[in-house]
Amino acid sequence: MRIEVVENGLYMVVSVEVDLDVLLLHFGALPFEEASIKENQIAGFRLIEVQLSGEDRAEYHGRSHRASFPGLRLKYVKHEDSRNEMGRKFEITLQDPITNLEAEAHYQFYNGIAAVRCWTVIKNRGAAPIELEYVSSFALTGLAKEGKQDRDEKMLLSIPHNGWQSELQWRTYTLPELGLSHVATRSSKRISCSNTGSWSSSEHLPMGYLENKEAGTSLFWQIENNGSWHWEIIDQFDHLSILISGPTEHDNHWWKKLQPNEEFISVPVAVGSAKGEFEQAIAELTHYRRAIRRPNEDNRELKIIFNDYMNCLWADPTTAKELPLIDAAAEVGCEYFCIDAGWYDAGEWWDGVGQWQPSSERFPEGIKFVLDYIRSKGMIPGLWLELEVVGINSLLLPETTEDWFFKRHGKLVKDRSRYQLDFRHPEVINHANEVIRRLVEDYGVGYIKMDYNINAGIGTETDADSVGDGLLQHNRAYLAWLDNIFARYPQLVIENCSSGGMRMDYALLSRHSIQSTSDQEDYVKYAQIAASSPTALTPEQSAIWSYPLSEGDDEEVIFNMVNALLLRVHQSGHLAKLSPRRKSLVKEALDYYKKIRLDIAHSLPFWPLGLPTQQDDWITYGLHYGNKMYLAVWRIKGDSATIALPLPAVSARNATIKCAYPLENDAAWKWNDEVDELTVTLPKLLTARLFEIQIEN
């Protein structure tokens, strides 16, 4: 039996063989070609991989998760094809005749979007416990079967490297460059990315992009978990396969025992395919991310946040320091004012956090005096918080017990002088709820910068089958807590921050309306991070620091502002110390932002020079919405003062091009209709400009 699903430009073909084996023959943006799979290869096109403890392995699997048992024994039971408010929903049920393990593969389509959310439900229908070591959320073989060229020639894999203050470093490789050369029909080699711990993007973003240059198609994916995850590309049966999952035993210390009638739901992943190159894939992901996100006013209104940390008070606030900053932030047009770290303690506070009571030494009149002053200036007050941790010298500790915290080998887990709270514990939930209640109801806070500056490691052994199981349970409990907080306080804005961008994942970003992208302190280096951020999240969720230096020139202010103007402005810098001229440049930028921000919330990103790196001389990034394009251009280094920017979307149309920010500038630009290029000249190094292009049909 063949089951064919054609939806939103995606083609999916599932085959139920005579022996009830179930195969995923095809998933992509092109129709299935029967001749692309030979008869002796078809057995490798597994729909699901599941590995149980004590079960066999087949093939030359190496460290990969292919050829699993009972995955290879699963047989067709039934399938359902229906529609819900989001779109088409396809699910198929399989069962192992020996263990009675039941596996449900779920594929949720979204109306008009070429991406699918996938997950697997494992149920123990047997009489004895079963022990899970691996469950795929999505498995697909035949990644390179379209086209005639060898995969070594036509396939390109783009991997988003990530790191503290060095976020969003995309690099593109051929498969041989990563060691997976096509020299046999199978090998023990795999290309894999894995994250272990409570920072979901500490080394890589939980996503990837694979392009078939010959066929003109791509496969793209993101893993939606706020903890450990894994994906791998392998070769088998002379085809390429991808396996995408949450945590695994071999890679992430995750192992789960299911008693009879218990079930496990795997980490959801989004997978899509598109005709075209990287920008088209990101466009589909952007549509998908907007579709799965919690509806909220913040992502519609894009209000401007001032935060007093970066190149400003550096986590040392007092009433005397805050009042002139509040005045200056209101003067330039900010709409939120967030007091960053340090409001809760005097002096060195790092290892003492946990109670979240305001410091009377820093705020002798009480912190509510300052928060009320913020509100009197027409801004919504905010506070920094790191609610998931307790310092090792916190005054809260006598009120806790050891089972509040992560534990391994009988000892509390420490990282950077903090303990990790376990959000499965009811008293932890009570503590967290009371902190949020006090801030919102007693202090009148409408914005919380929720930071997270530790990595709790592989997990916790408390009430868990494995430390990875404990971590995943905690991750999900934290999401459930967050859902309850937003249900209780729907107008509250909670910024997702983890030392900057160490948790950029859509488990959290489907809840949070805004994400801190980096703690990068050099505004020049921030340009690349800002321009790359819409690959990982929607532009309206991407908070970008703009922090003019107290001692600087006009171009430094302009550069800072251009970093943020096509995303979410996260204003800082000591505005009260800026000269009137430089402060006016900040205000000019924010006034312009208020005119275009509704467009940002609906726009799609593009990169005329391709994705930038920290090594580039020029960086460009733009947004396209309706008949308007917004284009940021940065000149970083190099001898050439002129750059040609391909803009095929403007081809054969009448376009009005202007430098929108700053209005007074020495930039020059010219449109070349013959080659669809905008030539921009910036005479000085370390300068940036924002262009607006109005396209007439």
Side-chain angles (χ1 to χ4, degrees):
M1 175 174 61
R2 285 284 177 88
I3 305 168
E4 297 190 8
V5 178
V6 180
E7 194 75 12
N8 307 324
L10 292 174
Y11 298 82
M12 181 175 172
V13 179
V14 176
S15 177
V16 180
E17 303 293 284
V18 174
D19 63 355
L20 299 184
D21 198 11
V22 181
L23 307 170
L24 179 57
L25 299 183
H26 183 69
F27 178 90
L30 296 176
F32 177 51
E33 295 181 7
E34 195 84 32
S36 63
I37 305 175
K38 298 177 182 178
E39 186 65 30
N40 63 349
Q41 298 171 334
I42 198 168
F45 285 68
R46 313 307 307 170
L47 181 79
I48 299 173
E49 293 284 5
V50 181
Q51 182 67 48
L52 295 185
S53 298
E55 289 279 1
D56 200 2
R57 298 292 304 274
E59 275 292 324
Y60 292 103
H61 55 81
R63 287 199 64 202
S64 80
H65 297 283
R66 69 175 175 227
S68 59
F69 279 102
L72 289 172
R73 292 197 303 260
L74 295 174
K75 301 298 182 183
Y76 173 83
V77 176
K78 63 179 181 178
H79 74 276
E80 296 183 20
D81 193 348
S82 61
R83 288 193 177 272
N84 53 37
E85 61 182 9
M86 294 170 287
R88 191 170 183 175
K89 174 72 186 301
F90 178 76
E91 54 191 80
I92 186 165
T93 303
L94 301 83
Q95 191 163 25
D96 173 30
I98 295 178
T99 64
N100 286 324
L101 174 148
E102 184 178 280
E104 294 175 353
H106 293 255
Y107 304 86
Q108 175 67 61
F109 292 80
Y110 292 81
N111 294 324
I113 303 170
V116 184
R117 179 180 269 178
C118 312
W119 67 95
T120 303
V121 180
I122 302 295
K123 300 178 181 180
N124 184 1
R125 300 300 193 192
I130 59 174
E131 298 158 338
L132 294 169
E133 296 181 2
Y134 179 81
V135 179
S136 64
S137 294
F138 180 80
L140 178 65
T141 298
L143 306 181
K145 68 183 189 299
E146 283 77 35
K148 297 180 180 179
Q149 292 180 341
D150 189 84
R151 63 186 187 231
D152 285 0
E153 300 172 0
K154 66 186 178 183
M155 303 303 292
L156 292 174
L157 177 63
S158 296
I159 297 175
H161 301 272
N162 212 53
W164 184 63
Q165 294 196 345
S166 57
E167 291 85 352
L168 296 146
Q169 302 289 317
W170 284 86
R171 295 294 185 273
T172 300
Y173 311 90
T174 65
L175 300 183
E177 286 174 333
L178 295 171
L180 191 61
S181 296
H182 189 193
V183 295
T185 60
R186 60 190 178 186
S187 74
S188 60
K189 172 67 180 176
R190 66 178 183 173
I191 299 170
S192 65
C193 280
S194 201
N195 179 82
T196 301
S198 55
W199 270 355
S200 60
S201 55
S202 59
E203 293 184 271
H204 298 93
L205 296 174
M207 58 183 300
Y209 171 81
L210 182 69
E211 181 182 349
N212 185 327
K213 292 189 297 179
E214 181 185 3
T217 59
S218 66
L219 185 79
F220 49 90
W221 60 94
Q222 71 175 23
I223 304 174
E224 297 167 7
N225 187 36
N226 51 327
S228 300
W229 51 264
H230 178 77
W231 64 259
E232 62 185 49
I233 292 176
I234 57 176
D235 55 357
Q236 58 175 341
F237 294 89
D238 211 25
H239 279 283
L240 287 176
S241 301
I242 188 167
L243 301 175
I244 310 176
S245 70
T248 80
E249 183 179 45
H250 289 176
D251 302 286
N252 315 107
H253 302 266
W254 176 87
W255 178 89
K256 181 72 176 175
K257 178 182 284 189
L258 293 185
Q259 298 294 337
N261 297 317
E262 287 187 338
E263 70 176 33
F264 170 74
I265 302 174
S266 75
V267 165
V269 306
V271 184
S273 182
K275 297 176 184 177
E277 299 179 350
F278 187 80
E279 285 180 8
Q280 184 58 44
I282 296 300
E284 296 298 336
L285 269 178
T286 302
H287 289 310
Y288 168 81
R289 290 162 175 167
R290 286 169 174 156
I292 66 167
R293 192 176 60 198
R294 174 183 62 91
N296 62 87
E297 288 185 3
D298 192 46
N299 289 148
R300 294 189 293 270
E301 297 179 350
L302 279 67
K303 290 182 178 178
I304 298 167
I305 307 110
F306 184 89
N307 180 294
D308 66 18
Y309 177 75
M310 190 69 78
N311 191 33
C312 193
L313 299 187
W314 294 114
D316 189 24
T318 66
T319 300
K321 293 177 182 178
E322 294 289 0
L323 296 184
L325 271 175
I326 294 167
D327 291 341
E331 181 184 343
V332 298
C334 295
E335 295 156 302
Y336 289 102
F337 188 102
C338 183
I339 300 173
D340 208 284
W343 58 269
Y344 35 79
D345 204 353
E348 291 295 325
W349 47 262
W350 184 265
D351 61 2
V353 298
Q355 288 187 310
W356 309 111
Q357 296 286 352
S359 166
S360 58
E361 182 177 322
R362 292 181 182 274
F363 304 98
E365 305 87 348
I367 198 168
K368 195 170 187 303
F369 170 81
V370 181
L371 298 174
D372 288 346
Y373 188 75
I374 293 169
R375 196 172 292 279
S376 75
K377 292 294 182 176
M379 296 182 292
I380 298 171
L383 290 174
W384 179 97
L385 198 60
E386 194 171 354
L387 192 54
E388 297 164 70
V389 304
V390 174
I392 61 174
N393 292 314
S394 175
L395 295 177
L396 180 71
L397 288 175
E399 304 175 27
T400 71
T401 57
E402 283 196 353
D403 55 352
W404 278 42
F405 305 103
F406 273 30
K407 186 183 291 186
R408 292 197 293 271
H409 309 297
K411 296 181 173 61
L412 297 187
V413 174
K414 298 179 185 178
D415 189 56
R416 298 192 69 201
S417 301
R418 272 93 174 273
Y419 299 120
Q420 169 71 51
L421 286 170
D422 189 335
F423 271 66
R424 298 174 297 166
H425 196 290
E427 290 304 314
V428 170
I429 296 297
N430 291 340
H431 160 72
N433 284 343
E434 173 55 23
V435 172
I436 299 297
R437 187 210 63 78
R438 184 169 67 249
L439 266 60
V440 175
E441 297 182 19
D442 295 351
Y443 301 166
V445 165
Y447 185 99
I448 292 173
K449 178 176 181 176
M450 191 73 82
D451 210 342
Y452 180 67
N453 289 297
I454 74 167
N455 189 334
I458 58 179
T460 179
E461 64 194 17
T462 304
D463 296 327
D465 297 328
S466 62
V467 291
D469 174 43
L471 176 61
L472 182 58
Q473 288 187 47
H474 158 80
N475 293 148
R476 289 173 164 175
Y478 181 77
L479 295 175
W481 171 79
L482 198 58
D483 288 339
N484 288 331
I485 291 298
F486 281 124
R488 189 177 305 170
Y489 306 110
Q491 303 305 312
L492 179 65
V493 176
I494 304 179
E495 172 194 337
N496 186 38
C497 180
S498 300
S499 283
M502 297 294 95
R503 285 198 300 190
M504 284 194 278
D505 65 73
Y506 264 84
L508 289 166
L509 284 170
S510 62
R511 279 93 173 167
H512 290 284
S513 61
I514 188 169
Q515 166 75 50
S516 175
T517 52
S518 185
D519 278 349
Q520 174 54 247
E521 298 172 20
D522 185 331
Y523 71 92
V524 176
K525 294 177 182 176
Y526 210 139
Q528 178 273 322
I529 297 171
S532 300
S533 65
T535 64
L537 63 163
T538 65
E540 62 271 21
Q541 289 179 282
S542 176
I544 303 297
W545 288 107
S546 170
Y547 38 78
L549 307 177
S550 298
E551 300 293 334
D553 59 15
D554 289 1
E555 291 296 350
E556 172 264 323
V557 175
I558 295 165
F559 197 113
N560 261 295
M561 301 309 298
V562 172
N563 282 353
L565 282 179
L566 295 184
L567 297 153
R568 190 67 187 275
V569 178
H570 211 170
Q571 190 65 50
S572 194
H574 209 304
L575 299 183
K577 294 182 179 180
L578 296 186
S579 68
R581 161 68 182 172
R582 297 175 74 232
K583 188 189 294 185
S584 71
L585 285 169
V586 175
K587 188 177 188 308
E588 179 190 336
L590 298 184
D591 287 346
Y592 178 71
Y593 182 78
K594 292 175 182 178
K595 295 177 181 178
I596 70 169
R597 58 184 171 185
L598 295 183
D599 286 352
I600 294 173
H602 300 282
S603 295
L604 296 176
F606 66 95
W607 296 268
L609 298 178
L611 281 182
T613 72
Q614 290 288 353
Q615 293 72 42
D616 289 342
D617 292 353
W618 291 78
I619 292 173
T620 60
Y621 154 66
L623 290 175
H624 192 180
Y625 176 61
N627 62 349
K628 281 189 177 180
M629 299 173 73
Y630 303 96
L631 180 64
V633 182
W634 295 265
R635 183 185 174 194
I636 310 295
K637 57 186 177 180
D639 296 330
S640 177
T642 299
I643 189 73
L645 306 176
L647 295 175
V650 187
S651 177
R653 301 182 183 187
N654 296 321
T656 302
I657 304 172
K658 68 176 183 180
C659 184
Y661 177 76
L663 292 176
E664 294 182 17
N665 66 86
D666 59 355
W669 58 95
K670 182 180 179 181
W671 175 253
N672 188 334
D673 200 42
E674 293 182 0
V675 289
D676 299 331
E677 285 183 349
L678 176 66
T679 300
V680 174
T681 299
L682 300 182
K684 300 175 184 177
L685 290 173
L686 304 184
T687 54
R689 298 291 184 266
L690 181 65
F691 293 89
E692 182 177 319
I693 304 172
Q694 180 79 34
I695 304 169
E696 301 296 336
N697 292 324

